[in-house]
Amino acid sequence: MYEIIEKAELAHTVYFFRVKAPMIARKRKAGQFVVLRLNEAGERIPLTIVDSNDKDGTISIIVQEVGKSTAMLGDMGPGDSILDVVGPLGRPTHVENFGTVVCVGGGIGVAPVLPIARAMKAAGNTVVSIMGARTKPLLILEKEMRETSDELHVTTDDGSYGHHGFVTQILQKFIDEGRELGCVVGIGPVPMMRAVAGVTKPHGIFTVVSLNPIMVDGTGMCGACRVTVGGKNQFVCVDGPEFNAAEVDFNELIMRNRSYLKEEKAAMEEFTYHEGAKCYEK
Amino acid sequence: MDPKDTKGRVKIPRQKMPEQPPQERIRNFFEVPLGLSPAQAMEEAKRCIQCKNPLCVGGCPVNIEIPWFVRLIAEGKFIEAARKIKETNGLPAVCGRVCPQEEQCERVCVVGKKGEPVSIGRLERFAADYEREHGEVSVPELPHSTGKKVAVVGAGPAGLTVAGDLVKKGHKVTVFEALHTPGGVLVYGIPEFRLPKKIVQSEVDYLKRMGVEIVVNAVIGKLETVDELFSNGYQAVFVGTGAGLPNFMNAPGENLIGVYSANEYLTRVNLMKAFQFPEFDTPVIRGRRIAVVGGGNTAMDSARTALRLCPEEVTIVYRRSREELPARGEEVHHGEEEGLKFQFLTHPKRFIGDADGRLKAVECARMALGDPDESGRRRPVEEKGSEFCIEADVAIIAIGNGANPLIPQTTPDIKLNKWGNITIDQDTGRTSKKGVFSGGDIVRGGATVILAMGDGRRAANSIHEYLATGVW
Ligand SMILES: Cc1cc2nc3c(=O)[nH]c(=O)nc-3n(C[C@H](O)[C@H](O)[C@H](O)COP(=O)(O)OP(=O)(O)OC[C@H]3O[C@@H](n4cnc5c(N)ncnc54)[C@H](O)[C@@H]3O)c2cc1C
Ligand SMILES: Cc1cc2nc3c(=O)[nH]c(=O)nc-3n(C[C@H](O)[C@H](O)[C@H](O)COP(=O)(O)OP(=O)(O)OC[C@H]3O[C@@H](n4cnc5c(N)ncnc54)[C@H](O)[C@@H]3O)c2cc1C
Ligand code: SF4
Ligand code: SF4
Ligand code: FES
């Protein structure tokens, strides 16, 4: 059991948790994630490790309520325990001194961007960040991003705060201004990552995205997380989660993430319905 | 019966295993063969003529003293029979159910030369079940602690065998398992109706009672590397991480919604209990028509699982003919009783989806068997222009696994073969890295439970020797 030590609401339906997991806290590097299972009947869901504290043995996660499992986690709080937490999974971010790194975070994607921005900063890069959300109340981690970045740009789709528009517009502006960009890291909803790749690819700017396919084991055993990268099947949980954006088949990922739309909806609606293994469709 | 009455013994017919009737069992996940009754078991045991030179023992990869335990059953000494088996096999309730007996112990049984062999596997299962159900599983007295610590990576049959053998020799053993439940393929792969999970659970509990520590949610290579295990005070490490990374065909459309690897499909249903969705949170696409690609045990397990999730039709698509099917005859027979269909000499070429990316058909080609290949089996060759479509909204790819990369990635000094499997010294289970031993599917590629256990036994013996002498 992994105890929740602290909880905070960052935005509507977006929560921050600090969870006791000393072994994971000691090993974890930027870019890695955990898979957790809330209870005996729970599914295994992957979440990025946003931060860790080796001294008190905690890891931090930020979760957005999008379905049953994340909503159940959202209902938990300090003193509650999560049944299983496994990690740190995935390969750590490749960090080096690129000169200038642009960190682009969309929505909840700012959560995984933050540790990468910190690591890039620590490696001597100039970190320029762009973070965006649909609307102001959904912006998270602005203070932390500002502390970490040499320069921060904020956008909202509805213009309620910062630049009125999309994160990619700012990125495009940098390119038009002829800024020297060593590396771009883009994390957010898949369509946003696809758009980032679309902006940088024609200019040959090295761009990294962190993919969020549906996972089961997270250890390379099942293949649920496969994504086509450079024409080849890659298992995101062991080969990723970060890949060269120019090579990712984003449309396939968007399609595959819709696999269980019907079931996910049913799960939300029928929390307690139980027919066991019985065949009720015949 | 007179013990020397060989003729009378061979006249006894092989006892029929009681089973759930097909129409009933495809509506549940309960075990299909129900187990012999005590009377049946004693009768079956009498069929063994107690050979002086029992070939069956040589046919068993761990050389269980078969005539001995069978005689105990014939005498009604069921608990003693179970103990006898356990001297050589730590998981008899499992092996009695899933061993390919017809290719091992029972293949060479002399009674089988003229009629049907003694049902060694069923008797083994009977003894183990009897012992477990009668609450008489006693923990053996353990020797004085040696003070040595061994880490076992992976709680599959190989790792669990190593752990059991080494605690019995007085060592302290910690098993690190990546998933949230120990058992390996026994819990995530082989379905409940073939191997009830409570049996695996009770074997694991038995190890815990003997003092084995099992740490779940521990992915070695990520949480700790093999080298870190050594610096944390473990003096030897056994790597039993099993097969990983399911193979795909690289056919167009293979990533459409509804195309699963067998590992994913079985894990969702067995380990995560998707058959009880939405009471359990993990979903699986139930489908209406399901195509399963492959012909081994994994394909058969996937297909029979699919039948229980209520589709209209489940078809095995296999590129060779019925004769070459690698799955056990018993499983094929069970599948057919349950309504499983077969398309032999058929190979999928392309997966076809609808506008939402959901699978709707599999385009296949007919194959003919050509000249034998390296494996000695006749190579299937495609018949030009023979393409046709099988309607399917779920396809399950069961064409084997590659090797899991997590340990090699972080421990480069463990030597691998060209397929990524760990290479070991055959006699000792030693890898190229000092203090590290290995066995099971990570060494053999896909093999069997009993071979993985045999590897574990051998490795445990050489780990014991290594800990005593320190000589590598
Ligand atoms: C490497 C990685 C890191 C992630 N990091 C974060 C994070 O830091 N914060 C965060 O809020 N979310 C993160 N996610 C996404 C998060 O895992 C999903 O939102 C969550 O699993 C949804 O579960 P649910 O039951 O609440 O929703 P559901 O109703 O089941 O599904 C809602 C959506 O989540 C996706 N999803 C469902 N099950 C899974 C699964 N097992 N694995 C992956 N996606 C799934 C579905 O495609 C669907 O679009 C990450 C995903 C990955 C792969
Ligand atoms: C569907 C299916 C049906 C089968 N049917 C039969 C049958 O009827 N009869 C038969 O004899 N054989 C059968 N087999 C084969 C048999 O199950 C395997 O040969 C056997 O389980 C191998 O045992 P193992 O201990 O080597 O590995 P596994 O059983 O694969 O166990 C390995 C364990 O290691 C864990 N692990 C992996 N990596 C790590 C890591 N880095 N850190 C920690 N833990 C890790 C895994 O999670 C797993 O629990 C079947 C296999 C499948 C897939
Ligand atoms: S372990 Fe397997 S091969 Fe050995 S006796 Fe039992 S069923 Fe036969
Ligand atoms: S070979 Fe058959 S008959 Fe002979 S001892 Fe073994 S089981 Fe009995
Ligand atoms: S989640 Fe199963 S292989 Fe990646």
Side-chain angles (χ1 to χ4, degrees), chain B residues 11 125 134 214 232 240 248-249 284 311 316 318 330 360 427:
Chain B
K11 278 201 195 115
R125 165 184 165 166
H134 290 77
I214 299 185
N232 291 348
F248 287 94
M249 287 179 295
V284 69
I316 293 257
Y318 180 55
E330 182 181 328
K360 61 176 192 193
D427 298 328

Side-chain angles (χ1 to χ4, degrees), chain B residues 287-298:
Chain B
R288 221 161 47 76
R289 288 163 184 272
I290 301 191
V292 180
V293 182
N297 282 324
T298 311

